[in-house]
Amino acid sequence: MSTSPLPGSGGEQHPATLAELAAAIRSGTTTSVAAVEQSIAAADKYDEAVGMFLARFNEQALEAAAAADEALSAGKPVGTLHGVPLGIKDIFGTTEGPTTAQSLVHDPHVLHGDAIAVQRLRQAGGIIMGKLTTMEFATGEPDPTKPFPIPRSSWSLKHWAGGSSSGSGSSVSLGAAYGALGSDTGGSIRIPAAYCGISGLMPTYGRVPKSGTVPLGFTVDHIGPMARSAQDCALMLDVLAGPDPSDPTASDVPVGQYAAGLTGDLAGVRIGVDRMENITDEYDAALSPAFDAALEVLAKLGADIVEVKIPHYAEMTTVDEILMYGEALTYHLPDMQRRWKDYGLATRLAIGTALFYSATDYVQAQRARRVGQKAIKETFKHVDLILMPTAGGGAAALERMEKGYFHGFGPIYTAYWDTLGNPVLGIPFGFTDEQLPLGLQIAGRPFEEELILRAGDAFQRMTDWHLRVPDPLARTAAATATER
């Protein structure tokens, strides 16, 4: 493992993080065209094997990069993300190409133009590299009978990239994009961030508008950034956050100064810890020592560490499933009645379960949700942040998916927070014995993204887990040579 050079760079040294690249472009140390060319090279090298992109916009990206460099040379005002290559999960509308939601069912031309989140990234100077792989409609595990890539972990071609923001995780990890747009309804930002060894932020529900996005669960969908570091996520959230009249669920709570609040200091911050060890038997042996080491780092940064037990974990996880699939069925029922077999098997099983829910089930789930939100609010009276693993181990083996839906994920601890709507940052904090990344979640009070980003950034100033660069092709070649 190494921190540089980035994949596809031809041995040249390139900035490792979005923040570093943006600064280098503004200072003239590098150009947007060079950055885009490096990202294209990384995609050329890895995309066929890893399955990152559904559509690539190389020509448009190079034209936009050249225009960005020209604007900078002319002394024109530039945005935070000026000239930076970005990837877009294929549930968000873009002007460059259609939106399929990785499905044969979705009319790719239903969404016209940029989603609000894409529009904001572009206005800040971001260069759109392409549309990234996802689970079908952000819920169905890969179906090999359908004509779409099987997204693989950037660390091992025998393992899954996670979902549903699969390509968002692997493209950032492998340098095909410096940041990516993801969505999270049951863990879809944090799971691929963990499986691919990058950082991913699920903001508070309503913090980022959802307009121009193919929905999954109307009341549990979150839009957020994925990038190599917490600082990168903060820079992207500075651009993404804030209401828009097109989305009635978008909050008008004042937006913070996220990147400016990264002080590297956690003095006096009280962090509650739940190791989730009693939730499942599938708890990787490397997880506990990695967790202990992470706590030591946070303590050295001045944090006060205490043990907590998050309330109503099983109930809130179940509530997320009922809300997500009940709301998804509302959106998909007409198409499911007419085009059942065009949906992937896992998508049919997932959304189809909602046919067995009643209106009473849905209402009771929403009532239970309020109980959970009150309980976690009480917990946050005693701590400022809550720390827990993202999953019980590293990326799930692809062979698990042959056993059927829900087996592919392995043990994960993410859906709880989607139900409650709190902001959560996922960051890497170690590796399994198989050299697969482990993910850590940092949760905070609603609309306190500044604090969770500050904690993640402070941790990353003391560690380099987020800077480790994989090479899945070299790993596969080495394994093949060993087998011979």
Side-chain angles (χ1 to χ4, degrees):
M1 295 178 291
S2 63
T3 58
S4 62
L6 287 177
S9 65
E12 301 171 14
Q13 299 296 312
H14 288 268
T17 68
L18 182 155
E20 292 170 351
L21 177 62
I25 291 173
R26 287 194 298 272
S27 70
T29 305
T30 190
T31 65
S32 178
V33 168
V36 166
E37 287 176 342
Q38 179 269 316
S39 291
I40 290 173
D44 286 344
K45 182 176 182 179
Y46 292 112
D47 190 30
E48 183 177 358
V50 176
M52 297 181 283
F53 286 91
L54 288 172
R56 293 171 62 187
F57 307 143
N58 291 355
E59 183 177 340
Q60 298 98 316
L62 286 168
E63 290 175 358
D69 290 335
E70 184 178 342
L72 194 63
S73 297
K76 296 180 180 179
V78 299
T80 306
L81 307 177
H82 188 80
V84 175
L86 303 173
I88 306 298
K89 182 179 181 177
D90 195 34
I91 63 167
F92 299 97
T94 57
T95 57
E96 291 91 343
T99 302
T100 70
Q102 197 153 334
S103 177
L104 296 174
V105 176
H106 191 255
D107 181 345
H109 302 290
V110 164
L111 299 182
H112 301 285
D114 288 343
I116 294 298
V118 175
Q119 185 182 108
R120 290 179 176 181
L121 293 174
R122 201 189 300 275
Q123 288 171 344
I127 308 295
I128 308 304
M129 300 301 301
K131 305 297 281 294
L132 300 167
T133 51
T134 174
M135 297 165 71
E136 184 180 22
F137 288 112
T139 188
E141 291 179 15
D143 187 335
T145 69
K146 303 301 181 185
F148 298 106
I150 303 296
R152 300 172 188 273
S153 168
S154 53
W155 289 86
S156 166
L157 300 182
K158 293 183 178 181
H159 291 77
W160 187 35
S164 61
S165 307
S166 310
S168 298
S170 56
S171 65
V172 170
S173 179
L174 291 169
Y178 273 79
L181 195 59
S183 65
D184 199 311
T185 311
S188 294
I189 287 174
R190 291 159 290 153
I191 298 167
Y195 284 5
C196 295
I198 66 165
S199 305
L201 174 69
M202 181 185 79
T204 309
Y205 178 79
R207 178 79 292 178
V208 178
K210 300 188 289 290
S211 305
T213 306
V214 179
L216 176 55
F218 300 107
T219 72
V220 278
D221 284 343
H222 303 67
I223 309 301
M226 300 173 68
R228 194 167 293 280
S229 71
Q231 181 187 22
D232 295 347
C233 290
L235 286 169
M236 291 181 70
L237 188 63
D238 278 333
V239 171
L240 292 167
D244 187 90
S246 64
D247 182 359
T249 70
S251 174
D252 60 1
V253 172
V255 173
Q257 297 294 316
Y258 304 109
L262 305 180
T263 64
D265 176 27
L266 293 181
V269 176
R270 193 170 174 84
I271 300 179
V273 174
D274 192 332
R275 295 172 180 268
M276 309 301 290
E277 290 176 302
N278 298 324
I279 300 300
T280 176
D281 293 333
E282 295 185 70
Y283 200 85
D284 194 279
L287 199 54
S288 286
F291 207 89
D292 290 338
L295 294 181
E296 289 181 14
V297 172
L298 294 169
K300 288 178 181 178
L301 289 165
D304 181 17
I305 309 296
V306 298
E307 297 288 332
V308 299
K309 181 175 177 56
I310 58 173
H312 308 309
Y313 174 80
E315 292 84 355
M316 293 304 102
T317 299
T318 300
V319 165
D320 182 66
E321 181 179 329
I322 294 171
L323 299 182
M324 182 194 321
Y325 295 136
E327 292 166 8
L329 183 62
T330 301
Y331 180 81
H332 287 282
L333 185 58
D335 282 329
M336 283 198 151
Q337 289 173 325
R338 292 183 291 107
R339 303 180 61 182
W340 177 253
K341 290 186 178 180
D342 284 339
Y343 285 89
L345 173 61
T347 311
R348 297 199 299 264
L349 290 173
I351 299 176
T353 59
L355 290 167
F356 300 96
Y357 302 158
S358 67
T360 301
D361 293 328
Y362 183 83
V363 171
Q364 288 291 73
Q366 291 286 15
R367 294 178 67 193
R369 180 188 215 174
R370 302 293 178 260
V371 172
Q373 288 172 329
K374 289 180 180 179
I376 201 66
K377 183 176 181 180
E378 189 65 29
T379 302
F380 273 115
K381 289 181 180 179
H382 307 287
V383 296
D384 301 303
L385 300 169
I386 293 177
L387 204 69
M388 56 192 285
T390 302
L398 285 169
E399 64 183 9
R400 290 183 66 127
M401 295 182 180
E402 298 175 1
K403 300 178 181 178
Y405 188 68
F406 289 127
H407 286 275
F409 279 96
I412 56 169
Y413 315 120
T414 53
Y416 177 87
W417 296 108
D418 291 275
T419 296
L420 302 179
N422 293 56
V424 189
L425 175 68
I427 57 173
F429 75 116
F431 284 85
T432 68
D433 291 341
E434 292 184 89
Q435 291 304 297
L436 298 172
L438 293 168
L440 186 70
Q441 295 184 93
I442 307 172
R445 301 182 188 95
F447 301 104
E448 291 193 5
E449 286 88 357
E450 293 105 319
L451 184 57
I452 63 174
L453 286 163
R454 175 153 65 96
D457 173 68
F459 178 81
Q460 290 179 339
R461 294 186 191 198
M462 300 283 287
T463 63
D464 71 348
W465 302 115
H466 62 296
L467 297 176
R468 309 293 180 95
V469 175
D471 188 338
L473 300 183
R475 175 173 177 158
T476 299
T480 301
T482 301
E483 290 172 1
R484 289 174 182 168

